[in-house]
Amino acid sequence: MKKWTRDTEINAPIEQVWKFLDGSLENMQKIMPQVVEHKRVKITEKVVGSVYRQKYREGKRTEEYDIETVEYLNEAIEKKLKVGFTLAKMFEITAFYELNKINNNKTSFTYTVTSRPIKWWFLKLLLVFATDKVVVEFLERDKKVAEAETGR
């Protein structure tokens, strides 16, 4: 299993950053432009256990997978969202987003991704091709979009 964790401070209120993760498809696409569809499959009262079917476009190829909410916290000063899904029948992925309010106009954002190969021979692919580039680019894009929308 590979794990990447990166964090950044964003000059935007916590609610501004959160809406990209826990909001509409339109808001989600601002930081995840490859997501072309995000539909409810099963919604639970406590959010944990909810399932969404998501379509993700990479070049000409579109992947479809179900994303399950594994952890969820939506408080005024702290927000967490952890989701899990299987990518291309090859890897089990978790994405964990943690937001903490620093002050009214600044948010700490920690992003952790894990990737576990489903079959042992996929491990070689993971070891050769897996880098933290996607994690770093995601955080940079989120920071840029959130700060642009708040005029910072």
Side-chain angles (χ1 to χ4, degrees), residues 16-22 27-28 31 142 145-146 149:
Q16 176 70 25
V17 181
W18 183 243
K19 78 176 189 176
F20 301 122
L21 303 169
D22 192 40
N27 280 333
M28 184 183 295
I31 62 167
D142 202 337
V145 170
E149 287 200 1

Side-chain angles (χ1 to χ4, degrees), residues 21 32 38 47 50 52 54 65-72 80-86 92-97 111-114:
L21 303 169
M32 299 180 222
H38 187 77
V47 184
S50 294
Y52 293 85
Q54 196 171 83
Y65 43 83
D66 288 348
I67 295 179
E68 181 176 359
T69 303
V70 182
E71 185 175 335
Y72 186 85
K80 295 181 181 183
L81 175 63
K82 183 175 187 177
V83 296
F85 59 96
T86 300
E92 289 180 354
I93 309 287
T94 63
F96 188 33
Y97 313 96
Y111 180 45
T112 302
V113 177
T114 61

Side-chain angles (χ1 to χ4, degrees), residues 9-112:
E9 286 186 4
I10 299 176
N11 294 311
I14 192 169
E15 293 297 336
Q16 176 70 25
V17 181
W18 183 243
K19 78 176 189 176
F20 301 122
L21 303 169
D22 192 40
S24 68
L25 174 61
E26 180 183 351
N27 280 333
M28 184 183 295
Q29 287 175 322
K30 291 177 182 177
I31 62 167
M32 299 180 222
Q34 299 91 342
V35 173
V36 294
E37 190 174 285
H38 187 77
K39 292 185 176 180
R40 295 177 183 178
V41 173
K42 174 180 127 183
I43 303 300
T44 65
E45 188 175 316
K46 294 185 178 182
V47 184
V48 172
S50 294
V51 177
Y52 293 85
R53 179 140 315 125
Q54 196 171 83
K55 288 185 181 179
Y56 180 91
R57 184 170 295 131
E58 189 67 47
K60 293 181 180 181
R61 192 180 74 200
T62 301
E63 290 284 335
E64 181 177 276
Y65 43 83
D66 288 348
I67 295 179
E68 181 176 359
T69 303
V70 182
E71 185 175 335
Y72 186 85
L73 176 69
N74 186 359
E75 300 293 332
I77 62 168
E78 179 183 24
K79 299 178 184 302
K80 295 181 181 183
L81 175 63
K82 183 175 187 177
V83 296
F85 59 96
T86 300
L87 182 62
K89 299 179 184 173
M90 294 173 58
F91 300 98
E92 289 180 354
I93 309 287
T94 63
F96 188 33
Y97 313 96
E98 298 175 86
L99 304 177
N100 287 287
K101 181 178 180 175
I102 296 172
N103 61 42
N104 288 339
N105 297 308
K106 190 175 274 197
T107 303
S108 170
F109 184 8
T110 303
Y111 180 45
T112 302

Side-chain angles (χ1 to χ4, degrees), residues 10 138-149 152:
I10 299 176
F138 176 76
L139 275 179
E140 289 172 354
R141 186 171 41 253
D142 202 337
K143 179 177 175 68
K144 180 180 173 184
V145 170
E147 289 177 354
E149 287 200 1
R152 296 193 190 335

Side-chain angles (χ1 to χ4, degrees), residues 109-125:
F109 184 8
T110 303
Y111 180 45
T112 302
V113 177
T114 61
S115 181
R116 187 176 72 78
I118 292 174
K119 302 204 186 263
W120 69 270
W121 59 82
F122 295 141
L123 180 59
K124 195 177 274 188
L125 286 174

